Amino acid sequence: AQSVSQHNHHVILSEAASLELGCNYSYGGTVNLFWYVQYPGQHLQLLLKYFSGDPLVKGIKGFEAEFIKSKFSFNLRKPSVQWSDTAEYFCAVRDTDKLIFGTGTRLQVFP
Amino acid sequence: DAGITQSPRHKVTETGTPVTLRCHQTENHRYMYWYRQDPGHGLRLIHYSYGVKDTDKGEVSDGYSVSRSKTEDFLLTLESATSSQTSVYFCAIDGQGGQYFGPGTRLTVT
């Protein structure tokens, strides 16, 4: 079965800093990959997804992610974070009819 | 908004009592899921359904049962609640392009 690793558990940045959150999944073949965001006290919202095609995927709120098949990675990036990006971020991979989630990365952005 | 509601939104119950959480969707999606979210564990799948009366177990199904008698409703039951089941429970549907989540139910078992 698939598994997902998110290596950064807690990231602290100042506003305008660049962000990269790591995500690795366990095995290859055709994969569907997702990043979700959870703002404090809220439910998960879909940030972006990769099914096929261009490995650089653009999502909402200026986020993007790059699928690198040879590294089994799907890292999330944002060139300049804002205080409002403070949230928890989850990577997920589809395994047949289920999603397998990583344990999440908590991002704190200070003004 | 994927048209998903959960009830109740908050519940405090005592150890040993039965508890049922309800997930309701308005968009006729075939797949529905129940997750629990705990610090340090992310989201873990409890049970899911792929149609009326069709359900399957997830990775943390012990102590939980589910039922789906109508497309729009997916019920999660804790037959005899334990303190280890204190958590936030999220329902989700499988829509176009990914899963979409309900607002969650915060359950405290004392």
Side-chain angles (χ1 to χ4, degrees):
Chain A
Q2 278 277 13
S3 64
V4 176
S5 297
Q6 292 184 245
H7 311 295
N8 317 102
H9 298 294
H10 190 190
V11 173
I12 301 173
L13 295 173
S14 298
E15 276 192 318
S18 64
L19 170 71
E20 181 161 2
L21 302 182
C23 173
N24 289 93
Y25 58 96
S26 56
Y27 63 84
T30 302
V31 286
N32 298 157
L33 295 157
F34 306 83
W35 275 99
Y36 284 84
V37 60
Q38 185 178 31
Y39 298 104
Q42 296 188 23
H43 61 283
L44 274 73
Q45 301 172 45
L46 183 62
L47 259 184
L48 49 80
K49 57 187 181 283
Y50 172 80
F51 287 172
S52 64
D54 189 343
L56 186 60
V57 179
K58 295 194 184 298
I60 60 172
K61 301 178 190 272
F63 286 91
E64 64 180 30
E66 185 175 12
F67 169 58
I68 303 180
K69 190 172 182 178
S70 61
K71 295 185 178 181
F72 298 88
S73 70
F74 190 55
N75 291 356
L76 181 70
R77 300 196 293 245
K78 186 170 185 179
S80 176
V81 294
Q82 302 172 319
W83 175 79
S84 58
D85 293 324
T86 293
E88 192 152 17
Y89 293 81
F90 294 92
C91 181
V93 61
R94 184 173 291 280
D95 186 358
T96 57
D97 48 7
K98 302 187 289 291
L99 289 190
I100 308 301
F101 286 86
T103 53
T105 297
R106 184 178 171 216
L107 172 66
Q108 281 185 289
V109 180
F110 288 96
Chain B
D1 185 358
I4 306 168
T5 56
Q6 292 184 231
S7 58
R9 295 292 314 280
H10 301 271
K11 186 169 182 67
V12 180
T13 192
E14 294 184 347
T15 298
T17 59
V19 177
T20 295
L21 309 182
R22 179 180 182 244
C23 177
H24 179 79
Q25 58 139 332
T26 60
E27 298 183 0
N28 211 35
H29 294 285
R30 180 182 170 201
Y31 280 84
M32 298 182 75
Y33 303 81
W34 275 109
Y35 293 90
R36 59 177 290 172
Q37 183 178 28
D38 304 288
H41 291 277
L43 268 77
R44 293 180 291 175
L45 181 65
I46 305 171
H47 282 279
Y48 68 103
S49 169
Y50 46 95
V52 173
K53 292 186 170 41
D54 292 322
T55 64
D56 205 349
K57 296 179 180 180
E59 66 174 298
V60 291
S61 59
D62 286 350
Y64 301 95
S65 63
V66 289
S67 66
R68 192 163 178 207
S69 59
K70 298 186 290 185
T71 299
E72 58 267 35
D73 289 325
F74 191 32
L75 304 181
L76 177 71
T77 297
L78 291 65
E79 302 290 349
S80 178
T82 67
S83 58
S84 65
Q85 293 175 311
T86 292
S87 187
V88 180
Y89 292 85
F90 287 100
C91 173
I93 58 92
D94 206 15
Q96 287 191 351
Q99 288 188 10
Y100 297 88
F101 288 80
T105 295
R106 184 173 295 275
L107 176 67
T108 302
V109 183
T110 61

